[in-house]
Amino acid sequence: MATKTKLFGYWISSTDEDSAKEAVKMAGLPALIMGANAALVSLTTLFQPTPNLTIVAWCATIALLLIILAFRIRAGNSA
């Protein structure tokens, strides 16, 4: 069921192929935000008086993967 209005302002209605492609491209935005958050956690943990390097490494890896995924989704190469 496709409608012309947005549900609660967040959902993009897809009525044709172009709007469906735009909705899929916008799915990269939450992944980019989560990647930026993981990078921030990694940096704040690194600059603590006694940094836990395991957490820094894991957060940096997660951040890198999520940011790469977000840009691949935006480019249309999410497979």
Side-chain angles (χ1 to χ4, degrees):
M1 180 170 81
T3 61
K4 295 275 183 187
T5 61
K6 291 183 179 182
L7 181 64
F8 300 116
Y10 293 112
W11 304 104
I12 298 173
S13 63
S14 53
T15 56
D16 56 352
E17 188 175 346
D18 290 333
S19 63
K21 286 182 182 179
E22 184 65 27
V24 169
K25 284 184 179 181
M26 290 305 293
L29 184 61
L32 184 65
I33 291 171
M34 287 187 295
N37 185 30
L40 184 64
V41 167
S42 177
L43 285 175
T44 56
T45 304
L46 183 64
F47 291 113
Q48 299 243 341
T50 57
N52 188 347
L53 297 180
T54 306
I55 293 176
V56 171
W58 274 108
C59 287
T61 303
I62 290 170
L64 182 65
L65 290 175
L66 284 173
I67 290 171
I68 289 172
L69 177 70
F71 282 111
R72 285 184 56 90
I73 288 173
R74 184 69 182 157
N77 299 326
S78 60

